[in-house]
Amino acid sequence: MKGTFPVSKFRELRTPFYYYDTRVLRDTLACIRSEAGRYENYKVHYAVKANANPKVLAIIRESGLGADCVSGGEIRAAIKAGFPTDKIVYAGVGKADWEINLGLDYGIFCFNVESIPELEVINELAAARGKVANVAFRINPNVGAHTHANITTGLAENKFGINMDDMERVIEIAGEMAHVRFVGLHFHIGSQILDMGDFTALCNRINDLLDKLEAHHIRVEHINVGGGLGIDYTHPNRQPIPDFRSFFATYANFLKLRPYQTLHFELGRSVVAQCGSLISRVLYVKQGANKRFAILDAGMTDLIRPALYQAYHKIENLTSEEPCETYDVVGPICESSDVFGKAIDLNKARRGDLFALRSAGAYGEIMASGYNCRELPQGYLSDELL
Ligand code: LLP
């Protein structure tokens, strides 16, 4: 089954572009709201890195989510979209001084700190401004997630976070600093995770750590477990809204939160992936020695996930109902890895046909580049194309 798209409107637009179905986005946000709303102490932030298109951000902000940022640019984008500054958390393994100052000036809720040298710098910069910064420590829980190696983050070998065993010492060091206030712990084990067991493993690690800290009379008010919930790339129409109920219930069932603790989430992909598609025109259909190519006007500069992670995005020919033929679907970039899919069965393609690359709302438009001096793709909401 193909998705439903306003194809006649698409014909008028310059391709390639991103198309965001606001009904899917709003339904997804409503589901997050009601499922997280079952638990009094849950707070959900949107991971801006997944998609910072201002029109998309505005809809997400309306739903009441906070913002998870990883750069000064993202903090600016979140504030421009109207996210309240006290709902912004800021993570990142390499925060520059100007970015820390920006966070301090806006009075963001919390800095997720990844090392002692970083803590020292935040303390100094906050002192210079006569402020006290809330800090949470990002902990490397050494939990492997069953996902692509490039997007696991919680293993000891990854660059992220502070080693669990050093935690008490780090909290003690923070306690001696006058311009930081220790408020919580931050975790994130990876992305595109569909096995709830991975999140259970994280809960178990956190439980052990909380017991240990409690024994040392250390009070942790905020626990942030990051994001990571995966989506169904193979069947984007089957269950377009991810299983938030199971996701939130996993934490409710396995994490032993104290009554005074708040649990924070940073969801990116699961919020925006399924509402977005990259729409592209077929430039040429070319018969090679032993295969047929559909050459699109979109390339890896517009959607890099297939080239970078061997990611699968379902491809549909929106303008043909002719019997299927088999194609390698490729872009125009001068790189052999500029391939969206090999041996894909599609309705017979002709020059000018419109293709949709589905489930591209997360880490699509935002990861676009100008390589080959190409223009960045536009993004349109379905509301605009009525
Ligand atoms: N929190 C932290 C600290 C993160 O590093 C990430 C994603 C998230 C939250 C949001 O995770 P999500 O809910 O989206 O899984 N470009 C890659 C994904 C990189 C994810 C990086 N961190 C891709 O296209 O698959």
Side-chain angles (χ1 to χ4, degrees), residues 141-197:
N142 202 10
V143 172
H146 298 95
T147 183
H148 192 278
N150 287 11
I151 52 178
T152 71
T153 42
L155 285 175
E157 68 202 47
N158 296 130
K159 69 181 173 183
F160 300 101
I162 298 169
N163 191 320
M164 277 219 344
D165 303 328
D166 298 336
M167 218 51 252
E168 289 134 69
R169 190 173 64 89
V170 176
I171 294 172
E172 211 170 284
I173 294 174
E176 286 160 12
M177 294 181 176
H179 293 274
V180 295
R181 183 190 301 118
F182 167 73
V183 297
L185 301 176
H186 177 223
F187 306 83
H188 174 77
I189 53 171
S191 199
Q192 183 53 17
I193 297 169
L194 290 164
D195 180 349
M196 293 297 143

Side-chain angles (χ1 to χ4, degrees), residues 4-25:
T4 348
F5 295 95
V7 175
S8 53
K9 288 279 178 196
F10 285 0
R11 288 191 199 280
E12 297 163 14
L13 298 171
R14 174 174 168 174
T15 46
F17 61 86
Y18 276 89
Y19 171 74
Y20 301 106
D21 184 329
T22 53
R23 192 186 47 81
V24 175
L25 178 58

